């Protein structure tokens, strides 16, 4: 179990750093100043876990209890500011780590909710929040309708992964296998959706459609 | 008292469902995808109570401690997505239940704050937050200035109702009567304001006005 | 120490009132109605401390535990609504008190974080959050990219001040001196930056720049 946790933790840090990079890049595209970029980088990285921890009552929130997240995020932000051209060229690598990140965040959020005795459907929401709320805050602060509300299969991958986790978890499959299968499912669904350009249907209010 | 509480709880569920419907409709008008609609439906329904619970320290927040809210909200969202044309035609009914909802949310928020030993003026703010914050989050996430800041007597109805509650509550009027009078006052003020198209004055910064 | 605290508390109230005034003025510029102005005035004044308290787990949040903040904020809002032309003419005075306010908020947030056993780098973030989050919420709710992300040395002044505080605090300089030096540093940096029109550099993503 320890091994599984260590690997999860490693990917948690990598995911956090990639989220910080994504926030910093978004801020740069919006022509914010360096402080704006640092701030948006931070909240993108810690937003999801923070909102989850607050709703669960797990306070002080996780990231302020250890300096590790702080330094991982700061590293992501500084790398982006200093080497922005190179970072932008790593688009595909970043996309992959971002996808691994949301898989890991979903699993960690789900497990934390279950540890707090939260029921299965709400635990799915907590897993999802961990993965998507950072990006929603990033887009709201830069005055955009959150990307996740109108583009890409992203949340759907997390929700599907979370449901898979719960099913095999309640079948007493060992936790490390639950975690691996879930993260791989989320990655698989997202890559598949992006490759075939699959998006969620929109709801129309017009009579004709 | 049990009877009063049961009725309040019933209207709490109805109000929550109507808020979920309102969020889903707003998302559809903004041409968000189905996930966006579900997400906005959820946060509109639980936003007010969540912010109130967090500020009071009532954690984990109420809605994650029971599955009832989850299923009520999900039902509201699914009904809207599946039967959107019919839902839109029910505008007047929805408006009425929305109005009952904010009345009930105000009373429940107020009572919860008082139970936490919060002073009267702050308890009014907690009642108001329960009723209006969900809609503010909905509008912010869909990149609009919150409707409540520039249209309709809505918050004013809640504040007036909350003050009426406190006055008769401290006069030792039985709680069930306090609750009923408050909810009916809020409904009355809002219907009256909408009927006569009464809005709050704006503040102008120009010298001429 | 008591004396230092009293003076800090006085400036805390003044800063809170100035933040309420700034929120109310922003709402008026956006042509929101009176409720909108009151709401924005409130969240601008209490936003930073509220988010800090929630992340630390210091609940119920400070401002709902005493009526003082409520009345200070209400006074600021009412003064702005009633005497808006005069308030606008006091621009320079307001700017000065706003600057004192962010200095004091930074110190109070920092000290509260340290009292919660939070590490130095995260305590800096908590100090900064106390000072800037209210304004970020104000701008987000009025549908603007937060001013602080693209204008003025403001956050940088708070961060520099917070680091100065920590250095001299760990050198066992008496707390009252730490507090005074920090607040004066923050004021000094901001006034200097505004006088010489110094801003943070922007990050550019274009190849040419």
């Amino acid at each position: 179990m320890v091994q599984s946790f260590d690997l999860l933790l490693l990917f948690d840090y990598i995911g956090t750093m990639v989220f910080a990079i994504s926030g910093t890049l978004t801020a740069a595209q919006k022509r914010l100043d360096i402080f704006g970029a640092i701030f948006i980088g931070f909240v993108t990285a810690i937003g999801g876990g923070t909102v989850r921890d607050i709703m669960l009552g797990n306070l002080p929130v996780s990231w302020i209890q250890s300096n590790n997240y702080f330094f991982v995020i700061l590293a992501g932000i500084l790398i982006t500011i200093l080497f922005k051209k190179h970072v932008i060229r790593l688009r595909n690598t970043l996309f992959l780590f971002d996808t691994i990140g949301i898989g890991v965040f979903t699993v960690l959020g789900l497990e934390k909710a279950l540890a707090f005795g939260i029921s299965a459907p709400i635990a799915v929401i907590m897993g999802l929040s961990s993965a998507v709320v950072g990006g929603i805050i990033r887009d709201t602060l830069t005055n955009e309708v959150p990307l996740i509300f109108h583009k890409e299969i992203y949340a759907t991958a997390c929700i599907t992964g979370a449901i898979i986790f719960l099913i095999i978890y309640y079948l007493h499959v060992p936790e490390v296998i639950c975690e691996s299968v879930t993260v791989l499912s989320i990655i698989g669904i997202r890559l598949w959706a992006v490759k075939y350009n699959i998006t969620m249907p929109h709801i129309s209010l017009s009579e004709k459609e």
Side-chain angles (χ1 to χ4, degrees), chain A:
Chain A
M1 211 65 70
V2 167
Q3 243 188 336
S4 113
F5 181 72
D6 283 350
L7 202 62
L8 264 190
L9 191 66
L10 176 69
F11 281 119
D12 185 22
Y13 287 140
I14 294 178
T16 300
M17 188 185 280
V18 174
F19 270 47
I21 293 173
S22 125
T24 311
L25 286 177
T26 303
Q29 274 155 6
K30 288 290 205 160
R31 303 199 56 74
L32 303 186
D33 68 20
I34 286 201
F35 172 73
I38 295 173
F39 191 98
I40 303 280
F42 245 96
V43 297
T44 306
I46 54 99
T50 300
V51 169
R52 175 205 63 211
D53 281 346
I54 292 171
M55 290 196 294
L56 289 174
N58 181 39
L59 301 176
V61 295
S62 326
W63 69 271
I64 74 175
Q65 301 193 49
S66 127
N67 283 335
N68 293 355
Y69 289 100
F70 174 80
F71 289 116
V72 162
I73 293 169
L74 202 64
I77 293 169
L78 291 181
I79 289 170
T80 312
I81 292 177
L82 296 176
F83 308 109
K84 56 186 190 259
K85 283 178 205 168
H86 304 280
V87 169
I88 292 170
R89 273 187 218 122
L90 291 173
R91 209 179 285 273
N92 289 335
T93 313
L94 287 176
F95 172 76
L96 186 64
F97 281 120
D98 179 70
T99 304
I100 297 172
I102 61 166
V104 173
F105 292 168
T106 304
V107 167
L108 291 175
L110 197 55
E111 290 184 332
K112 196 173 254 188
L114 294 175
F116 268 75
I118 300 299
S119 71
I122 314 288
V124 171
I125 297 182
M126 292 297 125
L128 179 67
S129 299
S130 312
V132 308
V133 168
I136 291 174
I137 297 177
R138 175 198 64 207
D139 296 341
T140 302
L141 286 179
T142 52
N143 210 7
E144 297 287 342
V145 172
L147 203 66
I148 195 177
F149 294 162
H150 55 96
K151 260 197 176 166
E152 278 194 43
I153 299 285
Y154 185 110
T156 314
C158 299
I159 295 172
T160 311
I163 293 171
I164 292 171
F165 181 96
L166 286 170
I167 293 172
I168 59 180
Y169 179 80
Y170 287 122
L171 292 172
H172 301 287
V173 171
E175 202 161 345
V176 57
I177 297 182
C178 294
E179 293 168 350
S180 313
V181 169
T182 305
V183 173
L184 292 174
S185 306
I186 294 173
I187 296 172
I189 296 170
R190 192 175 181 209
L191 294 183
W192 166 82
V194 168
K195 186 170 160 71
Y196 294 101
N197 202 17
I198 290 160
T199 56
M200 289 294 280
H202 287 235
I203 307 171
S204 158
L205 291 176
S206 116
E207 298 279 328
K208 284 176 199 151
E209 286 166 297

